[in-house]
Amino acid sequence: MLTAILTSDNHLGAYYARLRPDRLERRRQHLQEGFRRVVDAAIHERADLFLHAGDLFDRPDPRNAERRFVAEQFQRLREAGIPTFAIAGNHDCPRSYGYDGGVAPLEEVSALGGARLFRRSDNWDAETFLARGQRVCVRGMSSDFNRPAETCPLTELAASDARGGDIDLALLHYGVEGWGDFALEPSLCLVNLERLQTDAIAVGHLHTRNTRRLAGGALLLNPGATEHIRFGEEALECGYWRLHCAPGTTEAEYVALPTQPMQTLDIDVGAGSLEAAAGEGEEASETTQRAALHDALRRKIAAHSRADQMLRVRLKGRLHRDRFAELDIAALQAGAGEANFHCQFETDDLALYDEIAD
């Protein structure tokens, strides 16, 4: 039985415009830690190969800090004798030759022998090697999001694909039919995936982990991200897949990773909710109402704060325009920023009203 570690969508070096420079650097270290844990697991478990399904970096021209970190991690895998195979995703694959000459950042590591990068995006690249007495074929095709939307990159290739080894594994980086809405980008259709003569198809791009067994027996799986990248992903489990491969069959177990806490806090400030609880009524003066509303917001945010947490506060509901103008949002955000690793306020869903407008 051969063991493979599969990861994708680490998005190293992601930029967050609202973070202070020192917090941004620490946030990027959290992203690095997720990938480091996967490499640690591969080395500790003496995996037979390491697979990466794209978007190792968040952009095609990462900072030197991320380049050095990745070089160090792939060097660790190389020293442990673990063959490493990767493809470029839509984030770390230049979309034109005018952008850094069209060279993906992982091509540096590949040129130095730290990993085998399957750089072609119009057809398969493949490599076959021996592991535990079995001929193992790993093939991959980097993403090309310049393709027309709603087309499948495998349409012209799938019918002629054949197995390349006793154990055959494939790497791709696109959305998958049935795993989301990809109307504005190319994606993989199940009919073409079914035609692939392979044991497992590893797909990056989606940050939600998923797996299914295709009718032909191949295991289709997506590892998701190793860290919550953006707000809205708080409920997603982050981690990687451990594959157990034998000729003609592959089984997988998911390994969850710890992540930096992230939370979206929705607060309805409209009448009948927080505003009512904050002193709305005929007997309360306007000054008392404003102070009570401000204090109610402050206390609610404090109850959901953590020192290491990325917090998003979304104010919702209907609020009188004068009441909103007199709320000290800047003070609330400053206090929440001290109580959390990061806090940002959003008011897109807050409807302001006044008597004339109504």
Side-chain angles (χ1 to χ4, degrees):
M1 188 71 70
L2 179 146
T3 300
I5 298 297
L6 167 64
T7 184
S8 71
D9 295 279
N10 318 103
H11 289 274
L12 302 180
Y15 178 71
Y16 298 85
R18 301 190 185 189
L19 263 66
R20 295 176 354 206
D22 59 326
R23 297 289 172 87
L24 175 59
E25 199 60 37
R26 286 171 56 190
R27 173 62 178 162
R28 286 168 163 167
Q29 290 171 5
H30 276 286
L31 297 174
Q32 291 182 3
E33 189 59 30
F35 183 67
R36 190 199 314 273
R37 287 190 174 104
V38 182
V39 174
D40 288 345
I43 296 173
H44 177 74
E45 298 172 20
R46 299 181 180 180
D48 297 291
L49 67 157
F50 188 92
L51 305 173
H52 198 286
D55 280 358
L56 174 60
F57 298 102
D58 191 61
R59 53 185 297 153
D61 56 349
R63 303 183 312 157
N64 289 338
E66 275 70 44
R67 292 177 185 270
R68 180 185 65 183
F69 169 77
V70 166
E72 292 170 347
Q73 300 312 306
F74 279 105
Q75 178 63 19
R76 293 176 61 210
L77 291 167
R78 183 179 181 180
E79 291 174 351
I82 302 174
T84 300
F85 303 90
I87 58 175
N90 61 305
H91 274 261
D92 51 14
C93 185
R95 295 201 180 189
S96 73
Y97 282 94
Y99 195 99
D100 278 359
V103 177
L106 259 182
E107 293 188 49
E108 298 174 345
V109 177
S110 183
L112 294 172
R116 172 71 160 90
L117 176 66
F118 299 127
R119 183 63 182 89
R120 290 190 64 175
S121 59
D122 60 341
N123 208 334
W124 295 107
D125 277 334
E127 184 169 320
T128 303
F129 62 100
L130 288 175
R132 298 188 182 273
Q134 304 291 339
R135 289 178 63 252
V136 180
C137 177
V138 181
R139 51 180 155 155
M141 185 167 62
S142 289
S143 67
D144 179 8
F145 277 63
N146 289 321
R147 293 175 179 271
E150 300 185 40
T151 61
C152 176
L154 303 178
T155 298
E156 299 177 0
L157 308 177
S160 61
D161 287 330
R163 294 181 65 89
D166 304 315
I167 296 173
D168 193 279
L169 307 171
L171 297 173
L172 293 163
H173 190 94
Y174 291 100
V176 176
E177 177 187 352
W179 284 0
D181 181 11
F182 306 101
L184 301 179
E185 61 185 47
S187 60
L188 302 168
C189 66
L190 293 177
V191 170
N192 287 337
L193 290 170
E194 289 281 6
R195 292 173 180 166
L196 294 181
Q197 300 178 39
T198 187
D199 299 314
I201 307 168
V203 181
H205 186 46
L206 309 178
H207 292 182
T208 303
R209 64 124 167 167
N210 216 330
T211 182
R212 66 177 291 173
R213 184 72 64 178
L214 300 178
L219 186 63
L220 175 66
L221 66 169
N222 172 69
T226 49
E227 174 65 75
H228 297 132
I229 308 302
R230 307 291 179 202
F231 284 110
E233 300 181 359
E234 300 93 316
L236 301 183
E237 196 170 21
C238 295
Y240 62 93
W241 286 108
R242 181 189 295 117
L243 308 183
H244 303 288
C245 309
T249 182
T250 296
E251 302 293 337
E253 56 181 314
Y254 188 77
V255 181
L257 292 172
T259 59
Q260 182 175 16
M262 180 180 285
Q263 180 184 180
T264 294
L265 177 61
D266 291 325
I267 303 179
D268 189 339
V269 298
S273 55
L274 185 71
E275 185 172 329
E280 181 79 6
E282 295 182 358
E283 297 182 359
S285 67
E286 291 187 8
T287 302
T288 301
Q289 291 175 27
R290 290 196 299 270
L293 177 58
H294 189 282
D295 190 57
L297 280 170
R298 182 190 58 77
R299 286 187 283 106
K300 190 171 183 65
I301 294 169
H304 290 267
S305 293
R306 291 177 54 178
D308 56 345
Q309 177 178 246
M310 299 271 288
L311 178 64
R312 175 174 63 167
V313 177
R314 294 193 299 193
L315 301 182
K316 298 185 174 185
R318 296 183 77 248
L319 185 66
H320 196 281
R321 189 177 302 276
D322 292 342
R323 300 288 299 281
F324 177 75
E326 292 164 347
L327 266 179
D328 195 344
I329 298 293
L332 287 170
Q333 181 162 352
E338 292 299 320
N340 294 273
F341 178 86
H342 166 72
C343 181
Q344 64 190 54
F345 274 62
E346 296 180 5
T347 58
D348 294 349
D349 295 325
L350 183 62
L352 304 183
Y353 71 92
D354 57 47
E355 292 78 4
I356 297 177
D358 279 1

